[in-house]
Amino acid sequence: MSENEVKNLEAIFEARIARDEKIEPKDWMPEKYRQTHIRQISQHAHSEIVGMLPEGNWITRAPSLRRKAALLAKVQDEAGHGLYLYSACETLGISRDELYEQLHSGKAKYSSIFNYPTVTWADMGAIGWLVDGAAIINQVPLCNTSFGPYARAMVRVCKEESFHQRQGYEIMLTLCNGTQEQKEMAQDALNRWWWPSLMMLGPTDDASVHTEQSMKWKLKRKTNDELRQQFIDQTVPQADLLGLTIPDPDLKFNEETGHYDFGPIDWDEFWQVVKGHGPCNKERMNARVNAWEEGAWVRDAAMAYAEKQTAKKVAKAS
Amino acid sequence: MKNETLYQYILCIADNSLILGQRLGELCGHGPSLETDIAITNIALDLIGQTRSYYQYAARLIDEEKTEDDIAFLRLEREYKNVLLVEQPNTHFGYVMARQFLFDVYHLMFLEKLQYSKDDQLVAVAKKGIKEVSYHKRFSSDWVKRLGDGTEESRQKMQEAVDDLWRFTNELFLMTDAEKTMAANGIGVDIAQLKEEYYKEVSDVLKEATLTVPENTYFTKGGKEGIHTEHMGYILSELQYMQRTYPNMTW
């Protein structure tokens, strides 16, 4: 294809996106669009799968049968999200095994928040309320993103995430209506999860390398800082309702802007966790790699069995 | 208590679902593939759901003030009446599937009889459970076949698991006093009657999986009388952790 022809295709492609048309897997797309989508969708899928671990950590210790069942269902939803996101990613011409390989080698990233430990039951509430809350803010705009399979997966993901967030908030509310020990447990969880949740919305706009291009392709509709402000504005009144204190002495409503002002975020901590030095990076990756390696004989057996069954059918037919 | 025998009978049924659900819950996020992770979590969820229905009923029998959680979390080890099979560890995926399969075949046969109980509550739980457990059995039998007739390594692993767990199967058909009384009243199931059909069905699947049906005739027992293997204390310490550490709170 000549350079002019490619430029022409690109112009048509950009015009389709500008008209809010969906790009489907078999459509022509610029290589950079494909690569950016593989990176973002797989990062999202990996986050779902790694995110199962900190919550899975409390399934066996959930304090009531109702909570145990709800937590199982929630972690199962996350596995389901991982499944559709990997499938959406596979439509771009990469296999799930290759994506896992990128995760296990450290080439692909996942949301750094899952590198923090879940040390009390209240963390199940805080994750639902704050982490899923921040995720929804990030993800709702993606229901209208330009790549069709991703947009469609996100519609379902967002519905379930919104349920998870309410469930998390309800865990917090129950704790806050409980004994002194339970309230302290809830406050302690908020103290530990607040700042990592703010970091989860990504680096500040001046440090974010992908924003401009992602805006054009509708992979992003608002900047990281705008999303963060939205999250804070939405969450502070919810904390007030719980009777909990946000661990930020600088947090104050600004009458002029109509938004909350907040204190400085420790970006050194963020980058340290992103680079693999958070409290649980090693444990999370070991858990994923072990599951994959220890499961190899099972997957091999399933393949061998399927081949034998096919051979039997062929033999019968001939 | 309104009906101690019925209460004890419900524990015999429900504790199996609770402890197996708890064991499967340990695996969440650690399975050999995303699909098996989802399926195993789903089975755990079904089993915990069944447990809740049984315990809610049992709680009403003992005391208006008691809840499903008192029964699930606040008993002593000797008061849990699950069979030893379901408390065995998740040694590897072959064990997980063998344990599941050996239990599911029994579980489905049991529920298919329980649906004709004279007790309406048990009938309702059984009817709902039949749909769920039919799926569990299909899933676990399929994996027994895949692993048995897969690779040489998987066949060995599956055989090892079946051989190890076989000694726990006979206990499924031993009847406690509560079970005998309930069966005689038409409320419970005469499980001893299911034994022959069980071993036939299990053997058929194992043969199809190219596995050897174990021939040992030494069987172990105790769970139904509350005498468990050494694993049980650890299961309960996790299961009961929150309720024991923070007593009398609402979660």
Side-chain angles (χ1 to χ4, degrees), chain A residues 60 63 67-68 96 182 288, chain B residues 22 29 35 238 243 251:
Chain A
T60 58
R67 294 292 185 203
K68 193 189 287 287
R96 211 200 297 179
Q182 286 175 301
R288 285 313 316 159
Chain B
Q22 177 76 1
E35 287 80 355
E238 279 189 39
Q243 291 274 348
W251 299 97

Side-chain angles (χ1 to χ4, degrees), chain A residues 152-171:
Chain A
R152 289 188 289 272
M154 291 319 294
V155 172
R156 178 156 174 194
V157 168
C158 283
K159 274 186 198 154
E160 291 178 351
E161 291 294 358
S162 138
F163 178 73
H164 297 163
Q165 196 211 3
R166 284 204 297 277
Q167 191 171 281
Y169 191 74
E170 200 257 323
I171 291 177

Side-chain angles (χ1 to χ4, degrees), chain B residues 226-237:
Chain B
I227 303 168
H228 293 276
T229 56
E230 290 179 348
H231 303 296
M232 189 66 175
Y234 295 93
I235 294 177
L236 294 182
S237 60

